[in-house]
Amino acid sequence: MDPDRHDGVMDILIRKGQIAAIHPHPLAGESSADYANGKEVVDCSGCVVSPGFIDIHVHFREPGFEHKETILSGCRAAAYGGFTAVCTMPNTLPVNDDPAVTEFILKKAKQANLVHVYPVAAVSRGLAGKEMCEFKTLQDAGAVAVTDDGMPVVGSRMMRKALEKAGELNMPVMSHSEDLELAAGGSMNEGRVAVELGQRGIPNAAESIMVMRDIALCELTGAPLHIAHVSTRESVRAIREAKRRGINVTAETAPHYFSLTEDVVRECGANAKMNPPLRLAEDRDAIIQGLQDNTLDAIATDHAPHSESEKSEAFEKTPNGIIGLETAIPISLRLVHQGCLSMMDLIRKMSTQPAKIINIKNELKVGRPADITVIDPDLPHVIDAGNFQSKSRNTPFQGWKTNGKAVMTIVGGRVVYRNKTL
Ligand SMILES: [Zn+2]
């Protein structure tokens, strides 16, 4: 299935890393001769064959925090999770605010030789919000977007300048929308559960205020703005309204925001702590509606590995984030099984629309690189972090029984993951 092209039972011929032919099954004519040439045939009956899934929001922690994740272990997790490409956030040590760091990431990705890695560079030096980075040199080194993710761009003037500069280069600015003053000291959603657990809360407005500011600056500059990890109903409403007025904004949410609520913090503790935090059922439902009406263009994981010792500290001290690469497809397929999204829509959110946001081509089309994700949508699956390729284990989905997962990941015609069922 390619949302822009194919929906049916097809045969796909891969030759020299590229898609050489796509025909209604059975493959006819010249291409069928390849079967006789001893080419490997993979029977994908019952599966969905999609353009490669792309996760535009991951933290691979290298350089600087290799005990949490390396580019190699992150790429393995991506391949096993069904992703053919990822965008790495710049909050490493050193920060990806210099072409040398961008080049280092790409060098490590090349050595890993598994999935495509598209680095996202910083807006400001050291994510400090004071001095803007040289976007052009970062883009020349391979960066596809800019963000201070982990931190908001606090100054409105800086954000305006960033949008203007990045816009000239046709790069989106990815907004980590957070009002630091309003969120200060909070470690989970502001509400009943925070009171019960004796934690300080973060109100929805801490996110939506910045979403609205950045939309205003997007309107002012006309430059592409991408809102990361949307978690609140107010943010969905603001983005929906902005899109109706033709503003150049795109947005993503993460699987945990449409599948979990703040209640999960009671049992999962630190493994349900992330920023923005899990919210209420009303927010979760608004996120699902936002996906349905395309207010939210993409599902990204915000894959944020942390070691077990870091996640064992007191709740308020433990770092934010959960891993997501190896749970994203099983958890997102629940939306399809529940009738909230069609399979084609899910493919749009995790494959073709993420590609458009970062301006890369990703299609099932003759002549294109064979970057393909094969999903068995009904395969019974139990999520077990013990089997993850990621170096970290911080997931709230441990033990979840789901239906469906990626069974094959093909990058440039090469199989980088194959499940034993296929
Ligand atoms: Zn963020």
Side-chain angles (χ1 to χ4, degrees):
M1 288 180 172
D2 180 324
D4 299 325
R5 282 179 189 80
H6 314 286
D7 182 11
V9 181
M10 302 281 183
D11 281 331
I12 299 176
L13 178 69
I14 298 170
R15 200 192 278 145
K16 292 186 182 138
Q18 292 194 335
I19 297 173
I22 303 176
H23 285 297
H25 179 77
L27 201 58
E30 185 213 348
S31 304
S32 67
D34 279 289
Y35 285 141
N37 289 344
K39 289 273 191 309
E40 189 191 1
V41 178
V42 181
D43 180 0
C44 296
S45 307
C47 294
V48 173
V49 179
S50 158
F53 276 32
I54 301 178
D55 185 350
I56 55 171
H57 194 139
V58 304
H59 298 268
F60 276 0
R61 309 302 192 197
E62 188 180 6
F65 307 98
E66 289 83 355
H67 64 287
K68 300 173 194 262
E69 196 83 282
T70 60
I71 291 167
L72 176 60
S73 65
C75 286
R76 281 198 187 122
Y80 271 65
F83 291 94
T84 59
V86 295
C87 293
T88 52
M89 294 296 117
N91 61 341
T92 46
L93 192 68
V95 166
N96 183 10
D97 58 7
D98 187 285
V101 180
T102 311
E103 282 158 13
F104 169 83
I105 293 166
L106 287 171
K107 191 181 89 189
K108 286 284 176 179
K110 198 170 171 200
Q111 285 167 359
N113 194 24
L114 288 166
V115 303
H116 303 290
V117 172
Y118 297 102
V120 177
V123 166
S124 67
R125 291 238 176 254
L127 311 177
K130 300 237 157 50
E131 188 194 341
M132 212 164 83
C133 298
E134 287 274 341
F135 294 171
K136 178 74 170 76
T137 56
L138 290 161
Q139 185 180 43
D140 290 344
V144 295
V146 290
T147 184
D148 275 356
D149 185 56
M151 291 290 287
V153 175
V154 174
S156 303
R157 193 182 174 84
M158 167 78 78
M159 188 63 174
R160 176 194 185 167
K161 257 173 53 187
L163 281 162
E164 283 170 353
K165 286 281 172 212
E168 283 167 19
L169 302 166
N170 200 27
M171 282 203 292
V173 178
M174 296 180 167
S175 165
H176 167 108
S177 306
E178 181 182 11
D179 182 312
L180 291 178
E181 272 188 14
L182 206 46
S187 46
M188 63 177 296
N189 186 47
E190 181 175 294
R192 200 165 38 87
V193 181
V195 172
E196 187 187 307
L197 299 177
Q199 297 295 333
R200 285 196 39 197
I202 303 170
N204 283 16
E207 175 178 303
S208 54
I209 283 175
M210 284 299 251
V211 168
M212 290 177 206
R213 182 203 73 170
D214 286 351
I215 286 171
L217 294 173
C218 178
E219 187 169 16
L220 177 66
T221 58
L225 168 71
H226 177 73
I227 309 279
H229 45 56
V230 171
S231 75
T232 74
R233 55 194 187 276
E234 293 86 354
S235 302
V236 172
R237 204 163 61 207
I239 297 160
R240 180 179 291 131
E241 193 265 348
K243 283 191 164 190
R244 255 184 219 143
R245 290 192 297 119
I247 291 170
N248 198 2
V249 60
T250 55
E252 80 196 25
T253 189
H256 38 279
Y257 298 121
F258 58 73
S259 55
L260 303 174
T261 63
E262 61 168 19
D263 297 285
V264 176
V265 178
R266 283 198 196 99
E267 50 198 90
C268 293
N271 284 339
K273 185 188 180 195
M274 68 284 290
N275 185 21
L278 297 173
R279 308 285 188 180
L280 301 179
E282 296 94 294
D283 297 292
R284 180 200 58 200
D285 295 348
I287 298 287
I288 293 172
Q289 282 163 17
L291 287 166
Q292 287 169 333
D293 71 6
N294 218 27
T295 297
L296 302 174
D297 306 78
I299 295 170
T301 64
D302 198 2
H303 180 83
H306 293 293
S307 71
E308 235 152 297
S309 64
E310 290 160 322
K311 277 290 193 186
S312 317
E313 291 180 46
F315 184 78
E316 59 274 20
K317 289 208 185 108
T318 185
N320 285 309
I322 61 167
I323 50 174
L325 281 166
E326 291 166 89
T327 53
I329 291 180
I331 297 297
S332 300
L333 276 169
R334 285 160 41 96
L335 293 177
V336 176
H337 293 304
Q338 289 161 359
C340 297
L341 276 187
S342 68
M343 182 60 82
M344 207 57 119
D345 277 338
L346 187 72
I347 289 172
R348 286 193 181 95
K349 308 277 178 204
M350 300 185 82
S351 167
T352 53
Q353 289 182 171
K356 281 178 193 140
I357 291 167
I358 56 163
N359 297 308
I360 61 163
K361 293 248 185 290
N362 185 44
E363 23 185 35
L364 285 187
K365 190 177 168 189
V366 172
R368 290 267 177 241
D371 292 341
I372 294 171
T373 297
V374 183
I375 290 167
D376 182 337
D378 298 311
L379 187 68
H381 177 57
V382 181
I383 292 174
D384 180 3
N387 297 329
F388 285 175
Q389 297 295 311
S390 170
K391 273 195 172 187
S392 293
R393 299 284 175 263
N394 48 314
T395 176
F397 298 115
Q398 175 65 20
W400 278 41
K401 293 188 175 72
T402 61
N403 287 309
K405 70 185 291 290
V407 288
M408 187 178 264
T409 312
I410 302 171
V411 178
R414 200 162 54 92
V415 176
V416 294
Y417 167 68
R418 183 173 188 167
N419 192 56
K420 54 185 184 301
T421 56
L422 193 69

